[in-house]
Amino acid sequence: MNEAEIANLASVWFLTLEKQGCHQLLQAGADGLMQAMVLSYGGFKFSNLDLTFCTHPKDLHRNYHFRRLLYGNGTHVNVTVEVREEDNKAEIFVALDRNDKTYWACDAGCIDPPVELGPTLKQFPVKLTDPVTAVLYITADRQHIDELKQTIHVKEIAEAPAHEQHVIALHKHGSHLSGLPTLFWMSIAILIIIFHLFLFKLIYNEYCGKDNYRQRFYS
């Protein structure tokens, strides 16, 4: 890319982040820009009262680690998404690096009781609502989070379905095919060992066999 293309790309990113509500972060310099980029990658959005994780459940098909999201002046939020290997379902874990007040969180729909956040990871299920809403809400206002379940209007709330194996394989191995099983690699290793043993036996018989030795001795 030449300088003009780089400048145009940077301009488009700045405009996109500004239109997504990150204009105040962009005014904070390089640190604010970095925060805005991280928020954009994860689909995080700030409102007057909460921080929401707005990624669609179908896009949580790999592990994500968002570290030190700034919430106010004295709070760092860590959000981790992990896909369980046994059933390909995603889970969300939230912890605070530091905080200047008490924070609460709830999953999609906020029908379950709010969970108080702290330095220890708190686990949240990934739920799918109809219509689609945020998968996580974080706030320091306990009354606000208690009222969310009355104001999030959905027809259905259920645990998000498991991701299909070919989707997991595509992002983990770069192919729709899953990683080769351990038995395959063990078989390859055994075949290589057998080949080398056979080759060693041929060489031994050729140069160290008794018959060949006698033949060379009497010739």
Side-chain angles (χ1 to χ4, degrees):
M1 299 179 66
N2 55 39
E3 293 182 2
E5 291 174 333
I6 294 175
N8 181 67
L9 179 61
S11 176
V12 170
W13 261 108
F14 270 94
L15 182 61
T16 300
L17 293 173
E18 181 181 355
K19 298 303 181 183
Q20 291 295 323
C22 296
H23 55 280
Q24 292 184 347
L25 286 172
L26 297 179
Q27 295 174 359
D31 290 340
L33 174 61
M34 183 174 63
Q35 281 290 315
M37 295 286 288
V38 174
L39 293 173
S40 176
Y41 292 150
F44 291 94
K45 292 184 178 180
F46 281 106
S47 71
N48 291 333
L49 296 174
D50 56 35
L51 169 65
T52 57
F53 188 14
C54 297
T55 297
H56 195 289
K58 69 179 177 63
D59 295 325
L60 300 179
H61 45 62
R62 63 171 69 183
N63 295 343
Y64 296 94
H65 303 279
F66 301 98
R67 292 289 178 263
R68 300 175 70 84
L69 300 177
L70 294 178
Y71 197 160
N73 295 324
T75 301
H76 292 162
V77 181
N78 296 330
V79 179
T80 298
V81 177
E82 292 186 358
V83 179
R84 298 196 301 253
E85 294 185 359
E86 58 270 20
D87 57 7
N88 290 342
K89 289 187 176 182
E91 295 177 316
I92 301 174
F93 298 88
V94 184
L96 303 179
D97 265 0
R98 67 177 186 179
N99 57 293
D100 55 354
K101 60 184 71 174
T102 302
Y103 282 82
W104 306 84
C106 64
D107 52 47
C110 285
I111 59 174
D112 295 327
V115 177
E116 183 177 347
L117 299 178
T120 304
L121 287 173
K122 302 294 184 181
Q123 179 179 341
F124 298 87
V126 176
K127 294 180 181 178
L128 178 62
T129 62
D130 182 20
V132 176
T133 59
V135 295
L136 183 70
Y137 299 82
I138 300 174
T139 181
D141 190 330
R142 175 59 191 263
Q143 181 180 352
H144 169 68
I145 203 168
D146 287 334
E147 294 173 345
L148 277 177
K149 64 180 178 181
Q150 305 296 332
T151 59
I152 301 175
H153 303 289
V154 296
K155 295 184 292 185
E156 183 180 0
I157 302 175
E159 187 175 353
H163 299 287
E164 297 183 4
Q165 182 59 37
H166 71 87
V167 175
I168 301 294
L170 177 62
H171 293 281
K172 183 178 292 187
H173 307 290
S175 170
H176 290 288
L177 300 176
S178 299
L180 295 173
T182 304
L183 182 60
F184 172 82
W185 296 111
M186 291 180 62
S187 301
I188 293 296
I190 292 174
L191 289 175
I192 293 175
I193 293 173
I194 292 175
F195 170 76
H196 282 85
L197 290 175
F198 177 74
L199 182 62
F200 175 78
K201 182 179 180 181
L202 287 178
I203 295 174
Y204 179 83
N205 289 338
E206 179 67 23
Y207 293 98
C208 301
K210 294 182 178 180
D211 294 339
N212 290 335
Y213 173 79
R214 291 174 181 174
Q215 184 177 1
R216 290 195 301 270
F217 181 78
Y218 290 109
S219 60

